[in-house]
Amino acid sequence: MGRGKVELKRIENTTSRQVTFSKRRNGLLKKAFELSILCDAEVAIITFSPTGKAYQFASHDMDRTIERYRNEVGLSGSNDNNRSKTTQFWKTEINDLRKLMESLETRLKHLAGEELLSLGMKELKQLERQIKTGVERIRSRKRRMISEHINLLKIRQKALQDENTLLQKLLQDASTSCRVWEDVTSNGTI
């Protein structure tokens, strides 16, 4: 059952207008979210209610999307404050990623048994548990692979044995046929 066509004009009743705004705003934000997920689109929506309250949705960083929009339509005259914030944001992001990278490199070295002097007893025990768990997972995977390989080899062995049995039977049949032929030809019955 479809909805009837809605006449597009301002809703006079304040309460109805606010209810409609809330419902349609939620629907708009939901559609924007779906568009960003389904189509991998960069979506940003800013909505101001009749009372002046701001609502926003951004699939990525709102400032970056707005800056991208400004560049796209040729409004590159954004103020230095926005550029400063964007630059600061990216500097912070780079520093965070550097720290994460250093942390991961240190963790990798610890897992390889290097640079362990800085670790205390608690960290060493935790590292030992992690390595033991990793070794058990590796051994389990290795056992599974070996078992699968053995099963495959058993199947091949069975097939080769069946083929060998068949060939031996054919050889016996051929040998018997040859003997009969030799007997027939030697007796001169042909």
Side-chain angles (χ1 to χ4, degrees), residues 23-33 45 47 57:
K23 287 181 180 179
R24 292 201 173 216
R25 179 198 68 224
N26 290 338
L28 178 65
L29 295 177
K30 180 181 177 188
K31 289 294 182 187
F33 173 73
I45 295 178
T47 308
F57 167 80

Side-chain angles (χ1 to χ4, degrees), residues 137-156:
R137 288 180 184 159
I138 291 168
R139 286 180 179 155
S140 174
R141 174 69 178 137
K142 186 178 167 185
R143 281 191 293 267
R144 254 194 321 262
M145 287 180 70
I146 290 172
S147 175
E148 289 170 1
H149 191 65
I150 288 171
N151 289 338
L152 180 65
L153 290 175
K154 284 180 180 179
I155 291 170
R156 285 184 185 167

Side-chain angles (χ1 to χ4, degrees), residues 26-140:
N26 290 338
L28 178 65
L29 295 177
K30 180 181 177 188
K31 289 294 182 187
F33 173 73
E34 290 172 357
L35 180 65
S36 71
I37 297 296
L38 294 174
C39 302
D40 197 25
E42 186 172 343
V43 179
I45 295 178
I46 302 172
T47 308
F48 294 97
S49 72
T51 60
K53 187 173 180 184
Y55 299 92
Q56 72 176 18
F57 167 80
S59 61
H60 296 74
D61 179 51
M62 179 67 82
D63 292 332
R64 186 183 86 182
T65 304
I66 290 172
E67 189 60 35
R68 184 174 173 190
Y69 170 76
R70 286 176 170 272
N71 291 335
E72 191 68 30
V73 296
L75 297 173
S76 60
S78 65
N79 59 22
D80 290 335
N81 188 26
N82 283 343
R83 285 187 190 153
S84 172
K85 285 181 182 177
T86 303
T87 304
Q88 186 60 37
F89 168 78
W90 286 115
K91 284 181 181 178
T92 305
E93 188 74 16
I94 289 169
N95 286 335
D96 291 346
L97 289 173
R98 276 193 185 128
K99 287 177 186 174
L100 177 63
M101 186 177 75
E102 288 170 4
S103 170
L104 290 173
E105 285 175 347
T106 302
R107 183 163 156 51
L108 183 61
K109 286 178 182 178
H110 290 163
L111 288 171
E114 300 172 2
E115 297 184 13
L116 299 176
L117 294 175
S118 62
L119 298 178
M121 185 58 75
K122 184 177 179 182
E123 290 91 4
L124 287 172
K125 285 183 179 182
Q126 182 180 4
L127 182 62
E128 183 181 23
R129 268 183 268 137
Q130 289 173 343
I131 291 173
K132 282 182 182 178
T133 303
V135 167
E136 283 305 313
R137 288 180 184 159
I138 291 168
R139 286 180 179 155
S140 174

